[in-house]
Amino acid sequence: MNVADSERAATNLHNAGYAISDSTQSADVIIFNTCSVRARAAEKVFARIRDVRRFRNGRKPIIGVMGCVAQLEGENLLEDSTSIDFAIGTGALERIPSIVKEVLEGQGKALDLGERVESEASGVSASFRHSPYVAFVPIIEGCNKFCTYCIVPYSRGREKSRVAAEIVEEVSRLRGEGFREIHLIGQNVNSYRPRTDSGLESIEGATQFSKLLRVVAATGIERIKFTTSFPRDLHPDIVSAIDENENLCNWVHLPMQSGSNRVLRAMRRGYKVEDYIKRVEAIKSAKRRIALTSDIIVGFPGETVKEFDETINLVKYCRYDSLYIFKYSERPGTPAASLEDNISEQEKTARFLELEKVQKGIQRSVLEEYVGGEVRVLVEGKSAKTPLDMRGHSTCHKVVNFPGDISLAGQEVIVRITEAKVNSLYGGLVKGL
Ligand code: SAH
Ligand code: SF4
């Protein structure tokens, strides 16, 4: 989501005539895109601003902050920091050029925390995409779920879905530009509910999201991934759509958060462990093996050792291909912030490490199962470790390295897996596709 926002900001600035620089040493304007999901992420931006100022000799750059921290703290940022010249909220990306212009013209500090105006919606030009082969396509913004620990509904506003016709047009255009994989992205993609059926009228499906998957699959783009899926809205028809369409990739990210019904209720997640297991079973009974990944929060206020053990047991049951573990971080203004954050930092770290150890064991055996088999890999470039190897992602979203040369970049190939590493797979090229 944040990468997609940066791509859009760069496109808007470029279209307005600004040259995008990759050097914080020479740029006239430096914009920090920020995340406030956890306290650490929010604090990082201040450290980065200090670094930029410290290591830059000569003229002071104009510094702006965009994203969630700007949305929540915009006014305070401008009041408290002499370094920050402007703040732009999550709905104001399209207005970045005019804000930058105001500041450059010396009109003083500037702030825009307003909502997105639909007529302003802009695309992302190919040259500002993070990859020439893989593109992010936002389908829904914001969140209405209000999980008690989470800042996102406040920083990103309410759910707003793009109409399907516009998404399909963007995917077809990306395909024409040579992109081979798209990621449909949103806080909860499967809560997709556009105001009109435009583009979905004749499509079969139990939910608007499963219809969207089918209509995007029909564009013929080679690979489609989507993230994140909200457990309560994971209708089995989504699995059917994956079964029916080879280009819908075999990977689902389904954050569980906790394996305890009491904690899930306190988090206001809207599902019980039993419901979550049903969704996992539907995913595991798909025709192709669908890789399953998840997010978990350890140390939510009041989480007992027994409740944490329930999370460990559910993780063992689900056998995730990979797992993001977060220590609970109190976010001011959320309902959970009024609960006593009674699990010490030391205990949160101990639970984090214990869960990480369990997951490492599971992951080793899950990845071992790929050895001897073949995966389809979109080759993205050279491996970071050795120029003799190429690197890409499989349809099941694993990093795969194999000996090969740069002429393969951008191609889809079959790789036979010979070795499972901790977080990736290694193999040999079988053939191109
Ligand atoms: N919409 C997605 C998640 C978006 S935020 C969902 O509901 O599944 C990404 C992840 O950050 C969450 O899944 C959660 O595990 C973590 N997270 C969010 N708020 C947090 C907090 N206050 N403390 C720790 N982790 C948090
Ligand atoms: Fe946050 Fe919950 Fe919305 Fe995910 S569903 S973004 S965790 S409020």
Side-chain angles (χ1 to χ4, degrees):
M1 210 74 207
N2 289 332
V3 175
D5 283 349
S6 296
E7 292 173 349
R8 214 158 75 198
T11 303
N12 292 334
L13 285 163
H14 173 79
N15 291 346
Y18 294 101
I20 307 300
S21 162
D22 47 18
S23 157
T24 51
Q25 288 293 323
S26 60
D28 299 315
V29 180
I30 302 172
I31 305 175
F32 291 87
N33 189 7
T34 57
C35 168
S36 58
V37 169
R38 286 171 301 282
R40 272 266 303 281
E43 283 153 13
K44 255 190 346 215
V45 67
F46 298 106
R48 289 276 292 121
I49 291 174
R50 278 194 298 275
D51 281 354
V52 161
R53 294 206 55 181
R54 184 154 12 115
F55 296 118
R56 203 164 131 136
N57 22 34
R59 208 156 45 90
K60 176 195 171 302
I62 285 172
I63 292 186
V65 177
M66 61 180 262
C68 294
V69 175
Q71 184 69 44
L72 295 167
E73 297 288 336
E75 268 169 62
N76 297 340
L77 290 180
L78 297 188
E79 266 174 32
D80 299 348
S81 165
T82 50
S83 316
I84 302 175
D85 301 290
F86 64 91
I88 294 174
T90 48
L93 279 182
E94 273 63 42
R95 299 188 291 273
I96 282 196
S98 53
I99 296 276
V100 169
K101 186 160 171 270
E102 262 179 48
V103 179
L104 283 171
E105 284 172 352
Q107 295 180 33
K109 294 196 174 201
L111 177 71
D112 186 343
L113 305 181
E115 290 196 6
R116 184 184 319 284
V117 177
E118 239 155 80
S119 60
E120 289 176 338
S122 66
V124 174
S125 67
S127 49
F128 293 116
R129 300 260 176 199
H130 69 288
S131 152
Y133 320 115
V134 181
F136 296 131
V137 178
I139 64 163
I140 176 169
E141 289 191 353
C143 182
N144 291 349
K145 308 286 191 282
F146 288 94
C147 302
T148 54
Y149 51 81
C150 185
I151 199 76
V152 170
Y154 311 93
S155 63
R156 295 240 169 214
R158 298 301 101 80
E159 276 171 13
K160 214 187 270 168
S161 299
R162 283 173 77 191
V163 290
E166 193 184 301
I167 297 167
V168 168
E169 193 192 292
E170 184 172 347
V171 173
S172 299
R173 185 163 33 82
L174 288 166
R175 184 173 180 231
E177 288 171 359
F179 286 91
R180 315 208 53 182
E181 178 174 303
I182 54 131
H183 290 215
L184 304 175
I185 58 168
Q187 292 303 335
N188 299 296
V189 279
N190 54 338
S191 308
Y192 177 75
R193 258 170 231 106
R195 272 177 297 141
T196 78
D197 250 2
S198 165
L200 297 176
E201 300 87 345
S202 58
I203 309 296
E204 298 264 312
T207 68
Q208 282 181 303
F209 181 62
S210 60
K211 288 182 183 190
L212 180 74
L213 286 179
R214 289 187 174 94
V215 76
V216 171
T219 62
I221 192 143
E222 281 107 319
R223 297 154 61 113
I224 300 152
K225 294 178 179 174
F226 54 88
T227 178
T228 294
S229 295
F230 189 63
R232 203 181 57 204
D233 293 338
L234 197 105
H235 193 285
D237 191 41
I238 294 171
V239 179
S240 306
I242 297 175
D243 279 346
E244 290 156 24
N245 295 280
E246 175 85 28
N247 54 351
L248 291 178
C249 289
N250 48 335
W251 166 49
V252 173
H253 183 64
L254 194 70
M256 171 226 281
Q257 312 299 3
S258 167
S260 146
N261 276 334
R262 192 204 63 81
V263 175
L264 286 174
R265 206 166 46 246
M267 290 176 163
R268 223 187 283 140
R269 285 290 286 178
Y271 54 85
K272 292 188 174 150
V273 168
E274 303 82 282
D275 307 318
Y276 186 85
I277 289 177
K278 265 194 211 135
R279 309 295 192 268
V280 169
E281 279 170 357
I283 292 167
K284 296 213 185 244
S285 63
K287 287 189 189 142
R288 279 172 283 167
R289 178 185 182 277
I290 295 182
L292 184 66
T293 59
S294 195
D295 295 347
I296 282 180
I297 297 177
V298 297
F300 184 80
E303 182 190 65
T304 63
V305 170
K306 191 167 157 282
E307 287 164 345
F308 172 64
D309 283 344
E310 290 180 295
T311 298
I312 298 249
N313 287 338
L314 194 50
V315 166
K316 286 182 181 160
Y317 174 82
C318 293
R319 297 192 80 240
Y320 294 118
D321 289 60
S322 103
L323 181 63
Y324 294 95
I325 309 168
F326 303 102
K327 291 191 263 186
Y328 170 72
S329 163
E330 185 178 299
R331 305 315 291 126
T334 59
S338 62
L339 302 172
E340 192 197 344
D341 187 3
N342 62 345
I343 317 270
S344 68
E345 193 52 33
Q346 202 183 6
E347 180 59 22
K348 281 182 193 160
T349 303
R351 291 183 193 182
F352 178 99
L353 293 174
E354 186 179 344
L355 184 52
E356 186 184 56
K357 192 164 153 222
V358 169
Q359 174 59 23
K360 269 197 180 147
I362 295 168
Q363 210 163 302
R364 192 174 310 123
S365 87
V366 169
L367 291 187
E368 283 293 336
E369 285 167 20
Y370 284 88
V371 175
E374 293 178 352
V375 290
R376 288 167 73 126
V377 177
L378 175 61
V379 187
E380 287 155 42
K382 283 192 175 149
S383 141
K385 289 203 181 116
T386 154
L388 300 175
D389 287 347
M390 296 302 288
R391 170 189 182 277
H393 280 87
S394 62
T395 55
C396 56
H397 210 57
K398 305 274 175 305
V399 171
V400 181
N401 291 289
F402 63 96
D405 66 77
I406 195 69
S407 65
L408 292 168
Q411 293 189 34
E412 221 189 346
V413 298
I414 303 258
V415 174
R416 180 181 294 280
I417 302 304
T418 51
E419 193 185 342
K421 310 254 184 187
V422 183
N423 288 311
S424 64
L425 298 171
Y426 195 81
L429 180 66
V430 176
K431 61 171 181 180
L433 286 171

